[in-house]
């Protein structure tokens, strides 16, 4: 019987295989939209579905994976069919049988396909149930000029890049400084609250530089690699719970940011203390260096 660390290692190795397949897939893909939309109401690109189907097949083929759910799917799927999502969203203690479930965004930022900007894939590995407290490892792949992977466990961060012969070599894991220089503000400004707008303006007044592509993975990766800053996707008039989804995007990226020395909050609370009532539930989110997150918390507290 394999221990949990060996199972996580097997899954991480599978993410590397997935990254090789998807980076090749992206080279040959068109920007063709399908007539279908996913559970969040986003129109799907053909490549969203291709990436999703491939990842499902690869992950469910692993003996150590009990089930998966994806931004592009309505349900949690196991090797034997659909699982009860109400049951698996309930908090359950760590330990016991230690079943592993994976939630993923197969292609993050796919609306940037046509403009040929960097895209990503995001994965959260949950033990026993899909609750933030049960997230025990996370990873993202960035498909840019190079394909790179970040893996985080509860004790360590790993950073690797793909070579031209499709192997992976290790790089020094990035670390967030206490304070950075980048401001990546998401959402439609017209619909921001006064509090949010004033806060974002105050960062620019303080000398922060705007860096925003519209892809969560590349935007967060840039902040991480450049040593710090703030990424925000707030509650807005048109999206009161933000846009980014808890299980597939916000929880795993928050886990990685905390492991890199940063913080992630929803405006008040630590993201990884939040509950999740439904698979596709979104949340406002703010990820960054400690100083920016503290300043944001203060600004939001003072101006409710
Ligand atoms: P996805 O392509 O998986 O639907 O995610 C896109 C997300 C995220 O990458 C990005 O930060 C955000 O959507 C941008 O949203 P807006 O275009 O609404 O600003
Ligand atoms: Mn996404
Ligand atoms: Mn996606």
């Amino acid at each position: 019987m394999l221990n949990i660390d060996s199972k996580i290692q097997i899954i991480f190795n599978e993410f590397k295989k997935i990254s090789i397949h998807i980076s090749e897939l992206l080279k040959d893909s068109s920007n063709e939209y399908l007539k279908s939309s996913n559970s969040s109401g986003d129109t799907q690109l053909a490549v969203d579905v291709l990436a999703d189907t491939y990842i499902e097949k690869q992950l469910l083929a692993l003996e150590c994976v009990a089930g998966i759910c994806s931004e592009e799917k309505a349900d949690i799927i196991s090797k034997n069919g659909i699982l009860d999502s109400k049951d698996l969203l309930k908090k359950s203690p760590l330990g016991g049988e230690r079943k592993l479930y994976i939630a993923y965004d197969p292609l993050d930022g796919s609306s940037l396909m046509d403009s040929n900007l960097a895209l990503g894939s995001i994965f959260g590995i949950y033990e026993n149930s899909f609750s933030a407290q049960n997230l025990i490892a996370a990873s993202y792949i960035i498909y840019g000029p190079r394909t790179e992977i970040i893996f985080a466990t509860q004790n360590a961060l790993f950073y690797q890049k793909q070579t031209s012969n499709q192997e992976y070599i290790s790089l020094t894991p990035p670390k967030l400084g206490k304070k950075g220089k980048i401001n990546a503000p998401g959402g439609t400004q017209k619909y921001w609250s006064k509090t949010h707008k004033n806060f974002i303006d105050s960062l620019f007044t303080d000398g922060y530089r705007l860096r925003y592509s519209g892809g969560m993975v590349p935007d967060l990766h840039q902040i991480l690699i450049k040593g710090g800053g703030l990424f925000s996707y707030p509650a807005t008039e048109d999206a009161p719970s933000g846009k980014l989804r808890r299980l597939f995007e916000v929880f795993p990226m928050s886990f990685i940011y905390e492991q890199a020395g940063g913080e992630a909050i929803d405006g008040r609370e630590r993201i990884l203390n939040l509950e999740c009532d439904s698979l596709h539930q979104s949340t406002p989110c703010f990820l960054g260096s400690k100083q920016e997150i503290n300043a944001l918390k203060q600004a939001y507290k003072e101006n409710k």
Side-chain angles (χ1 to χ4, degrees):
M1 177 74 164
L2 290 175
N3 68 24
I4 204 80
D5 292 339
S6 314
K7 290 184 186 176
I8 290 177
Q9 198 50 53
I10 290 173
I11 295 171
F12 279 169
N13 286 335
E14 196 56 48
F15 293 164
K16 286 192 217 170
K17 275 197 222 156
I18 289 170
S19 74
I20 290 168
H21 179 86
I22 294 185
S23 51
E24 288 307 307
L25 186 73
L26 290 173
K27 288 180 193 151
D28 288 330
S29 300
S30 67
N31 310 313
E32 182 205 343
Y33 275 96
L34 301 174
K35 292 213 168 63
S36 53
S37 52
N38 64 21
S39 301
S40 306
D42 307 325
T43 318
Q44 294 172 304
L45 283 164
V47 69
D48 281 319
V49 176
L50 286 174
D52 180 41
T53 313
Y54 178 76
I55 295 176
E56 173 189 355
K57 178 171 78 64
Q58 294 304 110
L59 294 181
L60 285 182
L62 299 178
E63 209 183 312
C64 58
V65 173
I68 55 108
C69 70
S70 154
E71 183 184 277
E72 304 302 340
K73 292 185 197 308
D75 299 300
I76 303 171
I77 318 279
S78 75
K79 294 172 181 67
N80 305 314
I82 293 177
L83 299 177
D84 183 344
S85 56
K86 274 220 171 61
D87 231 33
L88 279 170
L89 282 167
K90 267 193 228 133
K91 257 204 243 162
S92 71
L94 294 169
E97 252 193 277
R98 307 199 74 172
K99 288 191 176 178
L100 297 183
Y101 297 91
I102 303 177
Y104 62 90
D105 177 355
L107 215 47
D108 176 66
S110 56
S111 67
L112 303 174
M113 263 304 280
D114 54 0
S115 42
N116 197 20
L117 290 178
L119 307 185
S121 299
I122 309 173
F123 304 90
I125 304 178
Y126 295 81
E127 177 179 330
N128 297 342
S129 71
F130 285 108
S131 126
Q133 287 84 14
N134 290 37
L135 185 58
I136 59 164
S139 177
Y140 69 80
I141 303 166
I142 174 160
Y143 310 101
R146 286 183 305 278
T147 297
E148 298 181 347
I149 304 198
I150 294 270
F151 298 136
T153 64
Q154 281 157 317
N155 333 305
L157 198 67
F158 303 92
Y159 181 27
Q160 300 191 354
K161 73 168 183 183
Q162 205 185 101
T163 62
S164 53
N165 50 3
Q166 301 196 322
E167 276 158 18
Y168 268 95
I169 54 167
S170 292
L171 302 169
T172 308
K175 213 161 178 36
L176 287 161
K178 282 216 166 64
K179 177 185 178 321
K181 292 183 185 151
I182 293 179
N183 189 11
T188 311
Q189 297 198 21
K190 177 177 152 186
Y191 300 125
W192 286 353
S193 69
K194 197 108 204 84
T195 301
H196 188 68
K197 182 169 173 22
N198 289 342
F199 182 72
I200 294 297
D201 286 350
S202 75
L203 290 183
F204 288 129
T205 309
D206 281 353
Y208 281 77
R209 284 172 298 189
L210 173 68
R211 295 288 184 268
Y212 191 71
S213 74
M216 187 191 199
V217 168
D219 288 330
L220 281 170
H221 187 68
Q222 176 162 217
I223 293 172
L224 200 51
I225 297 303
K226 305 277 189 202
L230 180 74
F231 171 91
S232 46
Y233 205 106
T236 57
E237 223 177 277
D238 61 333
S241 326
K243 173 183 182 192
L244 298 170
R245 289 136 290 215
R246 296 180 186 214
L247 286 184
F248 315 115
E249 294 163 320
V250 184
F251 289 172
M253 296 309 271
S254 298
F255 185 94
I256 292 168
Y257 256 52
E258 286 194 359
Q259 202 46 255
E263 286 186 28
I265 60 169
D266 70 350
R268 285 176 304 151
E269 283 239 25
R270 177 177 174 240
I271 293 277
L272 295 178
N273 288 340
L274 298 179
E275 306 282 333
C276 194
D277 303 324
S278 62
L279 292 182
H280 295 267
Q281 189 178 10
S282 58
T283 177
C285 63
F286 307 88
L287 292 87
S289 314
K290 287 186 190 285
Q291 199 164 311
E292 287 83 346
I293 295 290
N294 281 335
L296 179 122
K297 222 188 257 173
Q298 205 51 42
Y300 267 63
K301 199 156 65 192
E302 283 164 9
N303 302 290
K304 269 198 207 143

